[in-house]
Amino acid sequence: KGLLVHNQRQLTRIYPNGTRIISSNMEAEDVCAAWSSGCHMVALNFQTWDAAMQLNAALFAVNGMCGYVRKPELQWIPQNPRPWPPPGIGRPHKFRLRVLSAQHLPKKDGERCIPHKWDQYHPKCRFNEENLLAGNVVSPEIGVELVGGRMSKLTDVALRRATVDNWMDAEPHFEALSNPEEGNGLLPAWNFDVCCLVWHPKESFLRLSVYRQRRTRLPRRKELIAYEVIPVWCLRLGYRSIPLRAPSGSYIRDCALLVFISMRACDFAMAES
C-alpha cells in the first residue's frame, strides 16, 4: 500500500543487484507485483528470454512497442490504494478459456520462425532450420497460466456470485495443464477447458504454452516449443486464432491455437447468504 501511494508522486526503478554474475530475471509473479505497486521501471536481462521477459514484451506491445504504457487509473488516482473491498473486488470476472486445437506446431526450437529486423541481434534466434526427421513427431500438451493480480480456482462453472472465501483463496498465479495429444503436431485437438475468477483484469496476463514430452531414461520432461502472452484486458472474446511464438520470441510461420474465450463480471457477496 505504501509503495503504491509513494509511486503516485515519485519514480521507482527496480533492477537486478549489481553484484550478480548470472543473467537470470525476477520471477514473473514478482515482476507483475512491481507493476501492480505502481513501479515505473522494472529492469530485466534481455539476453534471457524467460517468462518475465515474455510478460514484459506483451505489456509494451499494447502501445506499439514505443517503450511507454499508461498505468491503470486506480494506480495514479490519489485515493486509498487498496480499500476494502479492494478495487475490482466488487465485480470479479469469471474467466473461461477452451483450447480447441492447434495447427502446424514446430518439432523443435527455432523451426519456421518469421524473422524481424531486430532478430539479427538476438543470440537465440535461428531461422529456417528444416532438418526434419521422420521420428521427430511431437506429442504436445497445453499449459494455461494467469499471472499477476489475483486469481481464484473455480470448481462451479455456473457460479454467479463470488464470496469472501473466493477472495481469500486467491493467488497471483493460476496454472492448468492438459493431457498430451500423442504423436500429432500437425492438427492436435484437446477441447481443454479452464475456468477461474480474475479479480484484477487490468493487472493480469494470460500465458499459453505448448510443451512436448522429451523421452529420456529419466522421467519425462517438458520442453517448451511455442507460447504466447496476452494481457487479460486486451483479450477479444469468442472464437479466436492466436498466433504462437518460438521460445526465442519470434512468431512461427502458420502456427496458431484455436480457442474460445469468455469473460464476464459476476456479483460479489461480502458474506454468505
Side-chain angles (χ1 to χ4, degrees):
K1 293 181 180 181
L3 183 58
L4 188 56
V5 173
H6 172 83
N7 287 330
Q8 290 176 355
R9 294 182 175 273
Q10 308 293 331
L11 291 175
T12 299
R13 175 176 178 244
I14 297 177
Y15 54 92
N17 191 336
T19 60
R20 297 166 70 251
I21 59 174
I22 58 176
S23 297
S24 61
N25 287 314
M26 302 164 54
E27 295 293 333
E29 296 88 344
D30 296 333
V31 174
C32 290
W35 290 332
S36 299
S37 300
C39 296
H40 303 81
M41 292 174 282
V42 180
L44 299 171
N45 290 301
F46 272 58
Q47 65 269 31
T48 304
W49 200 264
D50 53 9
M53 273 299 304
Q54 294 169 11
L55 266 63
N56 183 79
L59 174 64
F60 288 96
V62 172
N63 202 16
M65 301 296 290
C66 75
Y68 297 90
V69 174
R70 188 181 186 183
K71 294 196 296 183
E73 185 177 357
L74 288 171
Q75 293 186 10
W76 51 266
I77 289 181
Q79 63 178 6
N80 187 355
R82 284 290 186 267
W84 181 261
I89 194 174
R91 300 287 288 176
H93 289 70
K94 183 169 66 174
F95 175 82
R96 184 181 181 187
L97 174 74
R98 174 179 292 178
V99 182
L100 300 171
S101 62
Q103 64 180 18
H104 299 165
L105 294 175
K107 296 181 179 181
K108 57 186 178 180
D109 183 10
E111 179 187 309
R112 304 195 329 272
C113 286
I114 302 175
H116 297 284
K117 58 183 179 181
W118 54 81
D119 286 334
Q120 59 181 315
Y121 306 107
H122 199 302
K124 292 185 62 178
C125 282
R126 302 184 299 273
F127 302 106
N128 300 320
E129 295 189 0
E130 300 292 345
N131 299 322
L132 306 182
L133 301 176
N136 285 341
V137 179
V138 297
S139 297
E141 58 186 46
I142 296 293
V144 178
E145 297 176 75
L146 286 160
V147 186
R150 293 176 70 91
M151 282 73 62
S152 304
K153 294 181 180 179
L154 198 58
T155 56
D156 182 9
V157 179
L159 179 73
R160 294 187 177 182
R161 176 173 295 181
T163 65
V164 175
D165 291 337
N166 295 125
W167 166 256
M168 299 303 294
D169 293 338
E171 297 181 355
H173 182 264
F174 173 87
E175 183 175 10
L177 190 65
S178 73
N179 293 323
E181 180 72 8
E182 294 292 339
N184 186 0
L186 181 63
L187 290 171
W190 291 279
N191 286 325
F192 177 53
D193 264 317
V194 175
C195 193
C196 67
L197 282 176
V198 180
W199 296 89
H200 299 293
K202 290 287 188 180
E203 300 175 359
S204 301
F205 294 80
L206 171 65
R207 184 172 185 254
L208 300 169
S209 305
V210 182
Y211 301 98
R212 73 167 184 172
Q213 295 285 349
R214 296 189 60 182
R215 301 189 180 187
T216 62
R217 296 180 180 179
L218 299 174
R220 286 189 173 187
R221 293 170 46 185
K222 295 187 302 182
E223 179 183 1
L224 181 68
I225 58 174
Y227 82 94
E228 182 57 298
V229 178
I230 308 172
V232 170
W233 68 92
C234 295
L235 289 173
R236 295 181 178 180
L237 307 183
Y239 289 95
R240 298 292 171 182
S241 178
I242 301 178
L244 296 179
R245 301 173 184 265
S248 59
S250 297
Y251 280 110
I252 306 170
R253 184 176 290 107
D254 302 325
C255 182
L257 278 180
L258 178 62
V259 302
F260 176 80
I261 304 172
S262 67
M263 186 170 63
R264 61 180 183 180
C266 58
D267 295 328
F268 175 74
M270 292 296 295
E272 290 285 356
S273 57

